[in-house]
Amino acid sequence: MVDSALGQRDSNPDLILTLQFSNTGSTDRQQLVALANALRATAQELLPGVSTRARMDTAPAPAAAPPKPTATDAPLVIDLPARQVFTRGEPISLSHTEFEILSHLARRPRVVVSRRRLLELSGTLGERERAGRSVDVHVSRVRMKLGRYGWLVSTVRGTGYRFDPDPRVRIITETVAA
């Protein structure tokens, strides 16, 4: 499936290609990159000066499982390379630290991450007097901003936090190099 979104940034159009491959029988990365490059070349012919970015999801879907949602129809999308989070297509504004915490947890589903490690991500580890419960505050804000999906970030009492994946959530982990 190929989804494209066309928007204006300055005077040059920006084209984002989202490529999702499942049950194609081909997981050869070089073939998929070649396809993305061919789509970029076609976009350049149709829209001279267009800036293109391509994201690829190459994880095959299990034969018996329903098809995975695409980045545009999943209720929650965490686009790690683009540093963006969307609920029902609407962007969520996260601070740098909030995104770093969510990203770190989402990259390690079901793995408990210590508060100390999250303090390192927030940059307050060496500032004991200011750090206090700052990680707890940041995690609380992430949960609040995720709304009905805030439960995805669980507290593991006395240890830290964990990201509990859900099949309705789309996590984009890789951008195709230009």
Side-chain angles (χ1 to χ4, degrees):
M1 178 192 306
V2 179
D3 295 332
S4 63
L6 182 61
Q8 295 293 330
R9 185 184 311 163
D10 299 326
S11 62
N12 293 332
D14 187 27
L15 181 67
I16 302 170
L17 304 169
T18 303
L19 307 167
Q20 179 186 10
F21 297 91
S22 59
N23 295 334
T24 61
S26 172
T27 56
D28 182 13
R29 180 164 172 71
Q30 290 178 341
Q31 289 177 340
L32 300 178
V33 170
L35 175 59
N37 289 335
L39 291 170
R40 282 191 180 111
T42 302
Q44 285 291 330
E45 289 175 17
L46 296 173
L47 298 165
V50 70
S51 169
T52 60
R53 290 184 292 156
R55 298 181 206 138
M56 267 197 314
D57 179 1
T58 58
K68 288 187 173 185
T70 63
T72 56
D73 65 6
L76 177 66
V77 177
I78 303 171
D79 188 342
L80 299 174
R83 299 184 59 83
Q84 295 178 317
V85 179
F86 299 89
T87 56
R88 305 230 180 263
E90 295 296 318
I92 295 175
S93 178
L94 295 176
S95 72
H96 174 78
T97 300
E98 292 164 355
F99 186 84
E100 286 300 315
I101 289 171
L102 179 61
S103 171
H104 192 79
L105 293 170
R107 288 178 194 271
R108 294 155 189 80
R110 296 186 187 93
V111 173
V112 177
V113 179
S114 71
R115 290 180 76 250
R116 181 176 178 82
R117 176 64 183 124
L118 295 177
L119 272 171
E120 290 170 3
L121 291 173
S122 71
T124 58
L125 183 61
E127 305 169 19
R128 295 249 185 244
E129 62 281 351
R130 281 194 330 136
R133 313 265 323 156
S134 68
V135 168
D136 301 327
V137 172
H138 287 300
V139 169
S140 175
R141 289 180 183 156
V142 168
R143 287 177 176 151
M144 179 187 67
K145 290 177 180 183
L146 291 177
R148 63 188 290 187
Y149 299 98
W151 62 268
L152 293 169
V153 179
S154 300
T155 301
V156 180
R157 189 176 170 129
T159 306
Y161 296 95
R162 174 183 69 222
F163 184 82
D164 297 318
D166 183 284
R168 298 169 293 173
V169 175
R170 174 54 125 215
I171 300 174
I172 300 172
T173 60
E174 186 175 328
T175 299
V176 178

